[in-house]
Amino acid sequence: MSYAATAAKGPKQSAEEARARPPPEVENTESISSSSLIDVDSESVHTVPSSFSSQNIQTDTQAERINREARAKEEFEAASKELNNRSKAAKGKAKKQAGEFERNSDNPVFVGNAIAVVGLSASLGFGAYRKYAAGELTWKVVGAWTGLVGLFAVGDYYLSSYLFKNKYPKK
């Protein structure tokens, strides 16, 4: 049952009872006198020079903001230079690595590692998809596979190091 239906069943109110009460009023007991007006000749009122709007920096807050923006610009430029220097170093390192791969492209250790990485990645991806499709892919399965990949990586590192030192040195 709605509120309106419930209220309609109750006792009827007179027009006086149904009308909302008037809001309370604040009685003004003060009379306006000249003593309560602001004295414009007092020291608390400050005037602004007519050249105020033509000044570059008009407030302390504005000066602080301009200083913060200048510092931020300097920091950005310094970080940009640092990033540019790191980028150049990374490009140089990448070129060096690319040259090493080109020089050793006939080395069986390099070729074997490349084949192992591609094969392992493909088999892990396919196996993970099959487990996912069957609804059997859990965090335990992912953790076990991650552990196996870690064991493979450690074994491959030591085997490759041994082969590079003893049988197939890098060029």
Side-chain angles (χ1 to χ4, degrees):
M1 183 180 289
S2 71
Y3 175 76
T6 305
K9 288 185 179 181
K12 301 293 179 196
Q13 293 180 334
S14 66
E16 184 67 29
E17 291 174 326
R19 187 177 323 133
R21 290 181 295 192
E25 292 185 21
V26 177
E27 224 178 282
N28 189 1
T29 58
E30 290 184 8
S31 63
I32 298 178
S33 67
S34 62
S35 64
S36 66
L37 296 177
I38 297 173
D39 184 9
V40 294
D41 293 333
S42 69
E43 294 180 18
S44 64
V45 176
H46 300 283
T47 58
V48 177
S50 60
S51 64
F52 178 76
S53 61
S54 65
Q55 294 176 0
N56 288 337
I57 298 176
Q58 298 172 346
T59 64
D60 292 339
T61 306
Q62 188 179 20
E64 291 171 7
R65 179 185 55 83
I66 289 171
N67 287 338
R68 276 193 315 270
E69 288 174 355
R71 281 194 310 269
K73 183 178 179 184
E74 290 171 2
E75 290 172 3
F76 175 78
E77 289 173 355
S80 179
K81 286 179 184 176
E82 177 68 23
L83 185 61
N84 193 12
N85 291 339
R86 287 185 183 185
S87 175
K88 287 179 183 177
K91 285 179 184 177
K93 187 175 180 180
K95 285 182 183 179
K96 182 180 175 185
Q97 288 290 332
E100 184 177 343
F101 286 132
E102 287 177 17
R103 286 190 306 274
N104 292 296
S105 62
D106 61 343
N107 190 325
V109 179
F110 272 86
V111 174
N113 281 340
I115 291 171
V117 167
V118 169
L120 184 64
S121 299
S123 63
L124 280 176
F126 182 71
Y129 176 73
R130 283 185 36 210
K131 289 282 190 184
Y132 172 75
E136 300 172 356
L137 186 64
T138 64
W139 284 109
K140 283 186 178 183
V141 172
V142 172
W145 286 1
T146 303
L148 290 174
V149 169
L151 285 174
F152 172 78
V154 169
D156 181 60
Y157 171 78
Y158 285 114
L159 178 63
S160 296
S161 296
Y162 171 78
L163 291 174
F164 279 138
K165 285 182 184 176
N166 299 322
K167 295 199 176 209
Y168 306 103
K170 294 181 182 179
K171 294 180 185 174

